[in-house]
Amino acid sequence: MKKLTLFALATLVAACSPKSSDLPVYLDASKPLDERVEDALSRMTLEEKVAMTHAQSKFSSPGVPRLGIPELWHTDGPHGIRPEVLWDEWDQAGWTNDSCTAFPALVNLAATWDRELARLYGDCIGQEARYREKDILLGPGVNMGRTPLNGRTFEYMGEDPYLAAQLVVPYVQGVQANGVAACVKHFAVNNQETRRTATNSVVDDRTMYEIYLPAFKAAVDGGAWAIMGSYNLYNGQFNCHNKKLLCDILKDEWGFDGVVISDWGGCRDDDQAIVNGLDIEMGTWTNGLRGAASDSYQNYHLARPYLERLRDGRATEEVLNDKVRRILRTVFRTSMSGEVHYGSFTSPEHFAAARRIASDGLVLLKNDGALPLQVPEGGKILLVGENAYKMMVVGGGSSNLKTKYEVIPLQALHEAFDGKVRVQWERGYVGDASTSFDRVDTGQDLTESRDAQTLIADAVAAAADADLVLFIGGLNKGANQDNEGTDRTQIELPYGQEEVIRALAATGKPLVVVNISGSPVAMPWADVAGAIVQGWYGGTESGHALVDVLTGTVNPSGKLPFTVPCRLEDGPIRTERQYPGIQVEGKPYWEEYYDEGIYIGYRWYDTKGIPVQFPFGYGLSYTTFEYSDAKVARAVVKGAGKTAVTEATGSGKTVQTVTVRVKNTGSVAGAEVVQLYIADPEASVDRPAKELKGFRKVFLQPGETKTVSFDLDRAALSWFDAEGHCWVAEPGTFQALVGSSSADIRATASFELK
Ligand code: BGC
């Protein structure tokens, strides 16, 4: 009976709903995307088209209400879904159902060197975005780590273009599998926060193509539906309407068919905004309705000024149609895709994923045996440092999140030892006592009345009966730390933490130091610590993830996605004209010269032979790995020649295969990131001593051996010829260097390219 009723109901619904053939083409999700786009476009008025090209609120841009085409909802990104803000203001809307899962910062993901985790991350955050009815996620960020001082390094994927390119694609694809567009940012050469809206990056083409563009190109080739411009200028033009970047490179060379969105407030010029490749202008007048006498969204460059130009013939409808096609494509790919996605939010699966990504990215930098923690029952751990206690999901700028909960290290330690070991916390120093950002409150009380010397004395006194001292410090997401809008002012630990660490070491107790930061911190005190862990902003589950590694529940397998130098001045950025830029007569903005060219990060230190504290790609485990038998498939390979810039990343055919055997020689299971670097010592141009061109994370049981194999295409052997505007793989001898970090090459094999 029940079945019959259901059948009758289904028949009735089918009879009443329009057949696919009755639907206008644009509403028929079974039709090809571009047919739908053309059909919708043909039905739209000029005003409706222009409306779609600029914001209508802080985080939305209009649809076409008359045609039932929904507006686009944008959200930060890139570590979780931003809490709702008011329609016209940055203030929180005060919703009580928008506390998300905070995923680890992107630099933490990069430190996992794990493509599968990047996919998992993208998928989970895409589900959260879909559940919250967002269409465009403003992330991931793939600007390169040029200076360790950049305030937004934590939102990016390290200093190497290959690593970032490999991780951005699965992230993007994971997000988009949920009918949410990933918006890759900030395009391009936006590598500092100091004067970010008034600095012109002067970069040569070889450097652009080899260092700063590859991760963006990989994302585009991998199917990214949206790209965000950046605040700075390049080539003397603001990047949100930069002809060379957006028209010539992104849309013409790479064939990007998605939508270009401005960074909030990144647009400056009516005419350039129209003709130079921008599609949606967001955030120009950040005060929204309050800032102008009339509806200020109408004052956007792509609003009334655009309509005026279209009406009097200064602008063409052809250019407008191109923008609208891209916007419609985005709508049909997301909310009107025809595929049903419901998403999910703050699920146990998301928390578990966040915990796994966070722990798999933790990097063990040093270990004299103090880790995993061994404390006798009834013993005591003295925990010192603000970051053992301070909640770190809030802050940092636009990636600020309101999370359902945040596990701090102190809580996780208590849970892990469950009363069997006493855990006493001493603050040790006062860093950033703020506990709210953008009206997201942690509810913590971080006020402190003791002075610096008393804080140290109290910590030292508390060490007397401790079995072990665990210091958890580093940076935070306050101003001049890891934070949007400002850069760091020093590469060393702030707030007098070095003094605290040295005082704790002087107690003679075993000392473990955890540095939580999103960017490289110099560690001149490294020799006084028994063990050092590089921690990150791990999100909701950060404390659990850290304690998982400290106790050995998880064997650390993260590797540094950037170099940790000994001193700032050892790096490639040595003049003011390189960073933060200088004023040049006759130039309206600050000029910043990328004089170091392609030599950033390990490319610089390796090539110049400058020692570093911890190299790129470095990270220890609780087990050990042995490499052997590195081999190339062929001693001589064919394939020398040129490759067009239009060729898709990774589409080239394999010219060489490198294999190596890796054995777990210790007594616990663990994962090793096997890295392949290529050296081209006979190149006719300067090339770095080595460059990363492959990596695999392999999990090995004690005693187990696996063969790891890397396929190389011509692109992996090429450098960018600016004059010929193409990639060149020159004939000659190449070296395949396989290792455990950029500085720890365990096996080498040579081959000749003809
Ligand atoms: C940031 C972007 C962010 C946007 C929206 C800008 O200031 O640079 O990364 O997505 O604001 O919050």
Side-chain angles (χ1 to χ4, degrees):
M1 177 64 204
K2 200 168 166 200
K3 262 192 189 160
L4 258 183
T5 323
L6 271 180
F7 179 73
L9 199 69
T11 318
L12 190 71
V13 170
C16 298
S17 49
K19 279 194 245 90
S20 177
S21 57
D22 298 336
L23 283 172
V25 172
Y26 78 96
L27 287 179
D28 184 351
S30 70
K31 289 279 191 297
L33 180 70
D34 280 333
E35 268 180 43
R36 297 179 70 193
V37 167
E38 291 311 315
D39 183 54
L41 191 71
S42 70
R43 296 166 191 266
M44 290 170 65
T45 67
L46 192 71
E47 289 73 15
E48 284 169 337
K49 290 179 186 174
V50 170
M52 287 190 113
T53 66
H54 59 269
Q56 62 172 5
S57 76
K58 280 272 155 277
F59 282 100
S60 72
S61 52
V64 192
R66 183 178 60 86
L67 298 177
I69 296 175
E71 48 209 12
L72 282 171
W73 276 90
H74 312 234
T75 179
D76 285 301
H79 310 139
I81 309 307
R82 184 175 177 145
E84 301 296 329
V85 302
L86 293 174
W87 184 261
D88 276 322
E89 290 160 46
W90 289 109
D91 290 352
Q92 301 282 311
W95 290 20
T96 51
N97 58 352
D98 56 354
S99 300
C100 67
T101 306
F103 294 94
L106 281 196
V107 70
N108 186 156
L109 173 65
T112 68
W113 293 58
D114 190 329
R115 297 170 183 89
E116 275 168 36
L117 288 187
R119 170 74 198 208
L120 177 69
Y121 191 131
D123 206 6
C124 292
I125 196 171
Q127 286 165 11
E128 299 234 337
R130 180 38 67 221
Y131 187 86
R132 288 264 304 277
E133 300 183 349
K134 307 300 179 192
D135 308 303
I136 301 181
L137 179 79
L138 304 174
V142 287
N143 296 89
M144 288 291 104
R146 176 178 180 246
T147 164
L149 301 183
N150 181 17
R152 293 187 88 171
T153 303
F154 74 107
E155 291 188 67
Y156 302 140
M157 296 188 182
E159 71 182 26
D160 182 76
Y162 179 81
L163 176 63
Q166 289 293 305
L167 297 178
V168 69
V169 174
Y171 180 117
V172 164
Q173 292 175 348
V175 171
Q176 294 186 169
N178 295 286
V180 173
C183 182
V184 188
K185 66 192 189 183
H186 307 88
F187 194 59
V189 278
N190 176 200
N191 303 304
Q192 70 188 53
E193 292 300 289
T194 304
R195 294 191 287 265
R196 63 176 174 169
T197 57
T199 299
N200 180 38
S201 305
V202 184
V203 195
D204 64 73
D205 272 7
R206 181 172 174 205
T207 305
M208 285 299 279
Y209 279 80
E210 288 192 18
I211 305 293
Y212 296 105
L213 296 180
F216 288 102
K217 172 141 197 307
V220 169
D221 291 338
W225 292 335
I227 294 278
M228 183 189 286
S230 59
Y231 281 132
N232 57 304
L233 305 95
Y234 160 68
N235 239 4
Q237 212 165 45
F238 279 102
N239 286 356
C240 289
H241 34 67
N242 187 300
K243 178 174 179 302
K244 181 168 169 181
L245 281 177
L246 302 179
C247 301
D248 302 349
I249 297 178
L250 179 66
K251 291 184 174 174
D252 287 354
E253 270 181 27
W254 299 352
F256 176 65
D257 75 349
V259 67
V260 174
I261 299 169
S262 72
D263 198 347
W264 269 233
C267 273
R268 302 299 188 88
D269 184 277
D270 292 340
D271 296 306
Q272 290 181 21
I274 293 169
V275 294
N276 284 352
L278 176 68
D279 301 312
I280 302 181
E281 179 189 9
M282 296 299 294
T284 299
W285 275 277
T286 52
N287 281 335
L289 284 171
R290 291 186 311 178
S294 63
D295 181 359
S296 73
Y297 296 105
Q298 289 312 315
N299 296 331
Y300 274 41
H301 301 287
L302 291 185
R304 193 174 41 236
Y306 196 6
L307 254 185
E308 283 165 11
R309 282 165 173 72
L310 282 158
R311 286 186 181 134
D312 67 20
R314 282 178 292 161
T316 68
E317 197 161 346
E318 196 191 332
V319 171
L320 174 65
N321 284 346
D322 179 64
K323 295 185 200 303
V324 177
R325 280 191 182 99
R326 290 168 185 276
I327 299 167
L328 287 169
R329 230 172 259 144
T330 311
V331 178
F332 295 150
R333 282 170 165 159
T334 57
S335 57
M336 288 180 85
S337 78
E339 280 176 30
V340 182
H341 298 284
Y342 299 106
S344 56
F345 199 57
T346 54
S347 62
E349 289 79 7
H350 291 183
F351 295 134
R355 181 171 181 165
R356 167 138 186 247
I357 296 161
S359 64
D360 279 16
L362 289 164
V363 186
L364 180 62
L365 296 176
K366 179 180 176 184
N367 192 11
D368 67 359
L371 287 177
L373 294 174
Q374 307 119 37
V375 188
E377 210 169 319
K380 167 178 155 180
I381 295 178
L382 172 65
L383 182 60
V384 183
E386 191 171 278
N387 289 352
Y389 183 78
K390 184 176 169 63
M391 288 180 166
M392 217 84 84
V393 165
V394 302
S398 56
S399 61
N400 174 55
L401 293 173
K402 182 164 101 184
T403 177
K404 202 134 195 174
Y405 64 88
E406 178 177 347
V407 179
I408 57 172
L410 175 61
Q411 175 194 338
L413 274 171
H414 277 305
E415 278 176 27
F417 289 103
D418 195 20
K420 295 191 182 88
V421 166
R422 194 149 65 89
V423 180
Q424 181 186 344
W425 179 61
E426 275 292 335
R427 188 162 180 175
Y429 65 91
V430 176
D432 176 19
S434 54
T435 52
S436 79
F437 179 83
D438 225 358
R439 300 225 178 144
V440 179
D441 245 304
T442 63
Q444 287 192 305
D445 180 6
L446 285 178
T447 51
E448 177 61 67
S449 53
R450 290 169 292 176
D451 66 12
Q453 289 315 313
T454 314
L455 282 163
I456 293 178
D458 287 353
V460 166
D465 63 342
D467 296 275
L468 177 128
V469 180
L470 173 59
F471 177 85
I472 305 186
L475 310 183
N476 53 53
K477 293 184 179 168
N480 295 119
Q481 303 287 316
D482 289 312
N483 179 47
E484 180 180 342
T486 56
D487 283 338
R488 294 166 61 197
T489 54
Q490 60 182 52
I491 194 174
E492 295 81 17
L493 282 174
Y495 316 127
Q497 290 175 78
E498 180 166 349
E499 202 186 332
V500 185
I501 292 171
R502 290 193 186 279
L504 293 171
T507 64
K509 300 284 176 177
L511 174 63
V512 175
V513 174
V514 177
N515 173 64
I516 294 183
S517 68
S519 48
V521 166
M523 302 178 185
W525 40 265
D527 55 340
V528 306
I532 306 175
V533 173
Q534 173 63 47
W536 316 100
Y537 305 112
T540 298
E541 284 284 334
S542 54
H544 282 149
L546 178 61
V547 171
D548 285 346
V549 161
L550 294 177
T551 54
T553 309
V554 168
N555 189 353
S557 63
K559 300 275 186 174
L560 288 175
F562 49 57
T563 307
V564 177
C566 298
R567 305 171 312 162
L568 189 60
E569 52 274 32
D570 291 343
I573 315 287
R574 296 181 168 208
T575 64
E576 250 183 78
R577 52 177 265 135
Q578 285 175 286
Y579 174 85
I582 53 170
Q583 281 185 301
V584 176
E585 221 186 301
K587 303 272 186 188
Y589 299 101
W590 293 74
E591 296 285 296
E592 183 175 64
Y593 299 89
Y594 283 45
D595 293 335
E596 71 288 351
I598 57 174
Y599 294 98
I600 65 164
Y602 70 92
R603 285 170 169 76
W604 166 264
Y605 296 101
D606 261 14
T607 310
K608 301 286 172 191
I610 299 171
V612 300
Q613 188 122 32
F614 297 109
F616 171 79
Y618 173 81
L620 303 170
S621 163
Y622 294 146
T623 187
T624 46
F625 301 97
E626 189 181 274
Y627 289 59
S628 64
D629 219 8
K631 277 202 287 239
V632 290
R634 290 166 288 276
V636 180
V637 297
K638 286 196 186 144
K642 298 183 175 174
T643 307
V645 285
T646 46
E647 193 162 305
T649 319
S651 64
K653 79 170 202 290
T654 300
V655 295
Q656 180 63 286
T657 300
V658 182
T659 50
V660 67
R661 287 175 68 72
V662 182
K663 181 176 182 188
N664 181 345
T665 46
S667 55
V668 286
E672 166 74 331
V673 178
V674 184
Q675 301 159 43
L676 171 68
Y677 296 83
I678 292 290
D680 181 7
E682 294 176 1
S684 64
V685 294
D686 267 7
R687 294 200 69 180
K690 60 171 103 65
E691 293 182 281
L692 183 73
K693 296 296 172 186
F695 63 87
R696 297 253 176 285
K697 192 161 193 170
V698 280
F699 184 81
L700 296 166
Q701 294 296 337
E704 191 184 357
T705 302
K706 276 185 186 159
T707 299
V708 181
S709 139
F710 304 95
D711 287 336
L712 294 170
D713 63 5
R714 187 154 75 183
L717 308 176
S718 301
W719 51 273
F720 187 76
D721 173 8
E723 234 168 75
H725 201 65
C726 61
W727 294 93
V728 181
E730 284 181 318
T733 303
F734 285 82
Q735 282 168 346
L737 312 164
V738 183
S740 179
S741 83
S742 60
D744 183 7
I745 299 304
R746 305 279 184 90
T748 304
S750 296
F751 61 95
E752 201 187 328
L753 179 70
K754 281 200 165 168

